[in-house]
Amino acid sequence: QSVLTQPPSVSAAPGQIVTISCSGSSSNIGNNYVSWYQQLPGTAPKLLIYDNYKRPSGIPDRFSGSKSGTSATLGITGLQTGDEADYYCGAWDSSLSGYVFGTGTKVTVL
Amino acid sequence: EVQLVESGGGLVQPGGSLRLSCAASGFSFSSYEMNWVRQAPGKGLEWVSYISSSGGATYYADSVKGRFTISRDNAKNSLYLQMNSVRVEDTAVYYCAREVGAGDAYDIWGQGTMVTVSS
């Protein structure tokens, strides 16, 4: 059972903006870094954001991350059909001594 | 090319054992912490286990603690997951993942290996 809560789905038209929330607690998001992953159908997850807001090399600046208190947000601007995927947040949980993933959000481009 | 390649998956009966391997290439394997992450069919991601770069520290998800053992051989650039007393609910694609950054992010993932637990 995931301890990080995300909306099951979000959708928007091409070119629009979507945001995905990730709600946790003081033992995970509140006191540890957040990462975001994109998983295209049938493929392994891909790191989009690490250390709350940093982008790995090759990730376009259309993807952004932020954190406030015990919640984090992934933003995608200029939505493209290729962005249709499942998105997961993740963070270390100090109480569990383990990494926790969010429940996952499916992004649909209308 | 930086790459992780898993192997060892397959069909195993409940209560049986299986050993997964992850071969690393293209980077200094011994310098990185590593993890196993799994994904049951149609479900989300679940972290399974962590091992430090030297192998001296390990952590496990409660769901596998006492049954699974993570290990590594830095001389062979390889990561392992020994799975004992497997259960039907262990059925999943198992990924190995490299850890980077201050915040335990996983930047390199393998293609995954499928483990099916069934009688």
Side-chain angles (χ1 to χ4, degrees):
Chain A
Q1 185 174 354
S2 300
V3 298
L4 303 182
T5 302
Q6 301 178 230
S9 64
V10 296
S11 60
Q16 297 300 303
I17 301 171
V18 295
T19 60
I20 301 171
S21 61
C22 175
S23 178
S25 68
S26 59
S27 64
N28 40 68
I29 293 176
N31 285 286
N32 293 296
Y33 290 100
V34 177
S35 301
W36 288 91
Y37 305 87
Q38 176 194 61
Q39 187 175 33
L40 299 170
T43 69
K46 176 183 179 181
L47 180 64
L48 290 179
I49 299 289
Y50 69 101
D51 293 356
N52 298 335
Y53 64 90
K54 298 176 182 177
R55 286 188 307 277
S57 174
I59 300 300
D61 59 6
R62 300 189 299 105
F63 296 92
S64 64
S66 64
K67 188 181 96 167
S68 178
T70 60
S71 294
T73 301
L74 173 72
I76 309 174
T77 60
L79 198 63
Q80 302 175 0
T81 55
D83 296 333
E84 284 204 334
D86 293 322
Y87 292 80
Y88 296 90
C89 57
W92 184 259
D93 190 295
S94 303
S95 294
L96 297 175
S97 292
Y99 195 84
V100 289
F101 286 100
T103 49
T105 298
K106 182 175 182 60
V107 170
T108 300
V109 181
L110 301 173
Chain B
E1 179 189 6
V2 175
Q3 196 173 9
L4 296 171
V5 178
E6 302 95 338
S7 61
L11 177 63
V12 58
Q13 293 187 337
S17 297
L18 207 60
R19 189 196 197 201
L20 306 184
S21 299
C22 171
S25 59
F27 65 98
S28 179
F29 178 73
S30 61
S31 298
Y32 288 87
E33 298 156 301
M34 297 294 295
N35 292 263
W36 287 98
V37 176
R38 69 184 181 183
Q39 186 169 35
K43 302 297 184 181
L45 301 174
E46 179 188 15
W47 171 80
V48 173
S49 185
Y50 156 96
I51 189 166
S52 63
S53 57
S54 66
T58 57
Y59 293 101
Y60 298 92
D62 286 344
S63 58
V64 307
K65 200 172 296 182
R67 300 187 298 120
F68 290 10
T69 302
I70 191 172
S71 63
R72 64 191 297 161
D73 186 333
N74 286 341
K76 294 184 178 180
N77 292 331
S78 293
L79 175 72
Y80 306 101
L81 185 68
Q82 178 65 43
M83 306 170 61
N84 296 333
S85 303
V86 297
R87 305 167 180 169
V88 170
E89 55 264 35
D90 294 322
T91 295
V93 174
Y94 285 74
Y95 297 100
C96 59
R98 187 180 83 169
E99 188 172 314
V100 291
D104 313 294
Y106 307 144
D107 70 330
I108 303 296
W109 296 66
Q111 85 288 353
T113 187
M114 182 70 201
V115 172
T116 302
V117 183
S118 175
S119 55

